[in-house]
Structure formats: structure tokens, C-alpha cells
Amino acid sequence: MSLFRINIMFFLLLFFFSAPSFSQEKTRSKKEINLLAKEASKCMKEGNFEKSLVKARIALHYAITIKDDNLIATIYNTIAANFDELAEFDKAFFYYNKGLFYARRTNNNELKNWLYNNLGNIYCFDKKQYVKGIVYYKKSLEHSKKTNDFSQIVFTKLNITWAYFDIGHFDAGYPYLEYINKHHQKYGDESTIVALNMLNGMYYGYKNDTKKANLFFQNAIKFGNAGDEKSDLSFSHQEYSKFLLKNGEFQKAYQNLALYNTITAQLNTEEKLKKINVAGINLEIDEYKREIDKIETKYKTKQELLLETQSKNKKISIIVISLLLLIIILFYILFQNTKLKQNNKLKDLQSKIQENIINASINGQELERKKIASFLHDNISALLSSAGLHLNVFTSQNQSPPQEILKTKAILVEAHDKVRDLSHELMPTLLARFGLFYALEDLCEKNSNSVIEFKYSSLVPTKTRYNEGFEMKIYFIISELLNNITKHSNAKNAKVTVQENNKSLQIHVYDNGKGFDTAHFHSLEGFGLNQIQARINNLKGSISIDSKQNHGTSIYIVVPVVEK
């Protein structure tokens, strides 16, 4: 015990009087920093991502010391672009936003244009949040107009067109496509010729102008095969396959789908090779962020840091000693009250363990739902579709196919529909693609029948999106409550009301059924209310139930919103 105390005192004294050693650091001129930033950008374009990231980090350090917002934003854009090239989209998104923060403090419209456009790409092509992506593209367009950069205007309008067409808003996207068709020859370049022809093919396919659509799709594929735009070429084959399938040309549709899969596999392999080539650098965002945070700390002189460290050490020493005394006092108090509180602690612990088990089980089920739904949709459904295409090609080539073939074809269609329905039941498409409020409205409509009517009311804009996991949990909680009403309440009318207030989601589920005695709330296992309570506790929310026999039931839920 004596030796332990001596060691503690030695540690405190050493900590108190220790001071970091400082080395003189030579600052760089703006010209030198700018040259280093250009070298980082050049390395990235040459595919040397490791070297580019290292140079960019060094350049960022010096740019922050001279407090040049324009240089800082430019270097963040380069760092983000490296991660973008490596398909590390979360990291790219983080650093593009960092760059935008500094760019907004400058008058550099060209830089703002790049950053808004890059963020729009991530929202549309990675996060599939097309509404947000289009907003960012339009902000990019505003800045390119300020610089009269017509090449960039054409490029950004092409992105906006693509985003609108991806979500089926062809009429909204057509004015942008019309502008590109008019000015591409003068201001466009070869890198966008494949995408432009593909978009024209998509538009004329939507207009049912088969001749023009075929011509544009074939041009897109021809230019894609002649150039280096493999990604655009793969999308061209995919969209052409959809068009051909729509028009009954099943063999060609299958061929183009196969080419799309082949090129996509090649691109995925290339992305993996890029990541292997930079295996020597730490690409974990938390590690890289710590390095950047160190760079972003306020630039201080040697003397300021020394004084600050000494002051900090004194404060820490006082805090450590105070904490030791406090721990001794608390230990004594806890020791005196242990016997009285032991039973309560055990009960609380058992309750917490039970709740954690329930939440772990529920989270596991939801994760498995998502995985199974994704596997069914992306693999089994795709295989069934391919088999169907083969049979369609066979039946189109044979005037009188055997009955076994026709029956097989019908069985495949039925199997495809059942797999699709099961996938949607496990993970509703509306929830994944359009969000919680679209899915809840659809849920109420699907549960309504001649016996009971579910009404839905929401004061939150339907397009509002939250964290994906949060939306999934809320959806299945409400789904379970609606199932309870249908099975147990004998109600004829029910209503779901949702509103957001002070960053909390307020949900009210009401029915005019037979109700129940809330005094036996915890014993109503058939209703699954304990599991619902555990889910809501896990979300740090609250639930209250107001019910009387023969007077219906009102359930109020308040849950803090989890943003994206």
C-alpha cells in the first residue's frame, strides 16, 4: 500500500512539472503551399492516392497556419476527391462538407461550384437522396452562372437531368436536357457524350418514340465502347435493357443486361485494386480526422503552449486529487447503503438485462429482415427475371412452345411475384426509397378493410427523411400497434397521427375498440407491448397508454428524432 502511494505521488509530480519539447517550424509562403496543393491534385489525377493524401495533409497544415480559407477549402476538396475515387463515399462526403464550410467564407464561385456539384453526386449516386442532390446541383449551377462558365453549366445541367430521370420526373428534367442538346457541341466535352445520348434515349423511351430512343441508346453504347467512360457505358446498357424489355425485345434486353453486369463487375474489381494500392496509408476516417483536427487547432507560439500546458497540468492535478477524495467518500456512502439497495439493484439489473436482450433480439431481427430482403430483391429476383427472359426469348422463337414451357413460365412469374412480395413485406420499398411518412400512409391504407378503417394524419412534410435505422424502428413499432388493433380491439375506426416538435417525433395511435385494463399492462404479452416498450426505451423515448374497457385505446409515443 505504501509503495502504491509513492508511485501515485511520483506520477502526479512528474505530470505537474513535465512540459513538452518544442521545435521551431518554418512557415511556408502562400505560393509554396499552393504549389504543394497542386502537386497533391496532380498525384490524385495520376491515381497515386496515397501520395496525394499525404501531400494534401501537409499542405492543409500550412494553409491553416496562414489562415487562407480559399486554400483550405481547395485542399479539403482534393482530400475528399481522393476518397471519392476510392469509393469511400462517407469519407468523401465528410471532407466535401468541410471544404464547403471554408469556401462559403470566400468569393470563389468556381470552388463553391465544384463542392456543391460533388456533394450533389454523393447525395444522388451513393445516398440515393435525389431531392437533396438536386438542391445541391442547383446551388452549383448558380455559382457556375456567376462565373459565366458555360462548360460547367452544361455539365451541371446534365447531372440535374440524370437525377430527375432516375426518379422518373422526365418532364421536370427535360428543359435541362433541351439546353444541353443545344449547347453541348460548343461547350461540352467527350467525357459526357455517352451520358448525353443515354439521357436522350431514356427521354424518348418515356415518350414511346421507339425509333429515336433506339438511335440514342445505340449511339451511347458506340461512344462508350470507343472511349474511357466505362461507368456511363454500363448505365447505358442497363437503361437500354429496361427500354427493350418494356418493348418486348427480350433477347436484346437480356444481352444488354449481361453487358451491364460484366462492366459493373470490372468496375468493382478496379475499385478494389485502387484500395489495395493504398493499403499503406491509414484510410480510417476517425484516424485521418484526428490528424486534421490537430492541424486545425489554433496556431500558437512556443511560449503560449508552454504556459497553457503548465496551467492545464495544475488543473488536472487538482481534479485528480479531488476525484480521489470524492471516490473515497462515495465508496464509504455506497458501502453503508449496499445492503439496503442490493435487492433494488438486482431487480433493476434484471430488468435492464431483459430489456437489452429484447432490444438485441429486435435489432438482430431488423438487420436480418434488411439482409434477407436485399438478398431476395438483388439476387433471387434478378435470377428469376433472367430465367423469365430466357423463356420469353424461347417462346418468341417458337410458334407453339410445349405446355411444360408455358407452365414453367407461369410458375416463374408467380415465384418472382411471391419473392417480390416477401421482400417488400420484410423491408417495405416505400420505407427504403421514400421514407417513413410515405410508408406509414401506405401501411394505414393496406391495413384498412371492410371491417376497420385506419386513417392517417401527419403535420410533417411527407418528403422528410431521418436516419435509416430510426425510420425502420418507428415503422415496425407502429406496424405492431396496428396489428394489435386489428387482432384484439374489435374496433371499426382507428387513426394514426404524427407530428414533429422540438426535435421529437410525437405519435398518437387511437382506436374505438373494446379497450383493456391498463393496470395489467405488463401482463399483456399477447399484445407485444413489453417489446414495444423496450424498443422505445432503446430510442430514449416514452410511451403512455390511456385505455378503458369498452371505451377504446389511445397510445402516445414521444421519441427524439435521429437525424441523418
Side-chain angles (χ1 to χ4, degrees), residues 52-309:
S52 176
L53 283 166
V54 171
K55 283 183 176 290
R57 186 157 56 188
I58 295 168
L60 181 65
H61 169 75
Y62 290 116
I64 288 173
T65 62
I66 66 170
K67 299 179 181 178
D68 190 316
D69 291 333
N70 193 66
L71 267 173
I72 294 169
T74 302
I75 297 164
Y76 269 132
N77 185 58
T78 301
I79 292 171
N82 272 283
F83 286 120
D84 214 347
E85 286 291 326
L86 293 167
E88 298 281 352
F89 299 114
D90 287 339
K91 301 176 181 67
F93 181 74
F94 175 81
Y95 287 110
Y96 280 137
N97 274 308
K98 294 279 280 186
L100 187 58
F101 171 78
Y102 285 96
R104 283 172 176 159
R105 291 155 61 168
T106 73
N107 294 320
N108 191 336
N109 287 303
E110 183 180 5
L111 181 56
K112 292 175 187 176
N113 167 48
W114 293 344
L115 288 160
Y116 276 118
N117 187 77
N118 291 335
L119 283 164
N121 286 340
I122 290 180
Y123 273 120
C124 287
F125 295 108
D126 177 55
K127 294 179 177 291
K128 303 299 180 186
Q129 296 176 23
Y130 290 96
V131 175
K132 275 192 177 180
I134 290 167
V135 169
Y136 274 78
Y137 281 145
K138 288 182 177 179
K139 287 181 179 179
S140 171
L141 190 60
E142 289 173 13
H143 291 291
S144 57
K145 286 179 179 178
K146 289 178 183 178
T147 58
N148 290 321
D149 187 343
F150 291 101
S151 295
Q152 193 61 33
I153 290 171
V154 167
F155 181 78
T156 305
K157 286 197 173 187
L158 186 139
N159 282 337
I160 295 173
T161 306
W162 197 333
Y164 273 126
F165 282 13
D166 259 4
I167 55 177
H169 294 179
F170 290 93
D171 292 331
Y174 180 69
Y176 297 94
L177 179 62
E178 195 174 29
Y179 179 93
I180 305 163
N181 286 331
K182 185 176 179 182
H183 296 94
H184 190 271
Q185 187 172 359
K186 186 174 181 180
Y187 299 110
D189 59 44
E190 293 180 0
S191 68
T192 55
I193 192 70
V194 177
L196 177 58
N197 277 279
M198 180 194 72
L199 292 172
N200 275 290
M202 291 171 70
Y203 179 74
Y204 285 109
Y206 160 72
K207 285 292 187 179
N208 294 318
D209 190 337
T210 307
K211 186 177 179 181
K212 282 188 177 181
N214 264 308
L215 178 63
F216 279 113
F217 277 125
Q218 288 167 10
N219 280 339
I221 293 167
K222 181 181 74 174
F223 287 125
N225 285 321
D228 296 323
E229 299 301 316
K230 289 184 180 179
S231 179
D232 290 350
L233 175 61
S234 72
F235 286 124
S236 297
H237 280 299
Q238 184 187 38
E239 294 300 333
Y240 193 28
S241 173
K242 292 177 184 176
F243 166 78
L244 290 168
L245 185 62
K246 174 185 171 184
N247 287 280
E249 295 185 58
F250 303 112
Q251 187 171 5
K252 283 186 178 181
Y254 174 75
Q255 291 169 352
N256 278 274
L257 184 62
L259 287 168
Y260 162 73
N261 289 329
T262 301
I263 297 169
T264 302
Q266 291 173 355
L267 291 171
N268 289 337
T269 302
E270 289 173 8
E271 285 180 2
K272 289 176 183 176
L273 288 173
K274 284 181 183 178
K275 292 182 181 181
I276 291 169
N277 290 335
V278 291
I281 193 165
N282 182 9
L283 294 178
E284 290 297 325
I285 191 166
D286 291 334
E287 293 292 326
Y288 202 84
K289 183 177 181 296
R290 276 193 285 273
E291 291 294 325
I292 300 301
D293 286 342
K294 288 177 186 177
I295 293 170
E296 283 192 313
T297 55
K298 187 178 178 183
Y299 190 72
K300 296 185 175 93
T301 64
K302 173 182 174 181
Q303 188 176 9
E304 286 174 326
L305 282 170
L306 180 59
L307 291 171
E308 181 182 318
T309 304

Side-chain angles (χ1 to χ4, degrees), residues 408-445:
T408 302
K409 183 178 173 182
I411 291 168
L412 279 173
V413 170
E414 183 179 357
H416 178 273
D417 291 343
K418 287 183 177 180
V419 167
R420 182 196 60 204
D421 292 342
L422 178 57
S423 172
H424 291 177
E425 184 177 338
L426 289 168
M427 178 54 61
T429 304
L430 282 174
L431 180 62
R433 291 190 61 187
F434 299 106
L436 176 65
F437 302 101
Y438 277 108
L440 289 179
E441 186 174 359
D442 182 67
L443 181 67
C444 289
E445 184 179 341

Side-chain angles (χ1 to χ4, degrees), residues 381-395:
S381 183
L383 289 172
L384 291 173
S385 295
S386 294
L389 278 173
H390 281 299
L391 286 175
N392 281 329
V393 171
F394 178 84
T395 54

Side-chain angles (χ1 to χ4, degrees), residues 451-469:
V451 177
I452 183 170
E453 180 184 7
F454 287 92
K455 292 182 179 179
Y456 172 76
S457 173
S458 173
L459 299 178
V460 185
T462 311
K463 293 181 180 180
T464 302
R465 296 301 302 267
Y466 302 124
N467 173 272
E468 183 182 4

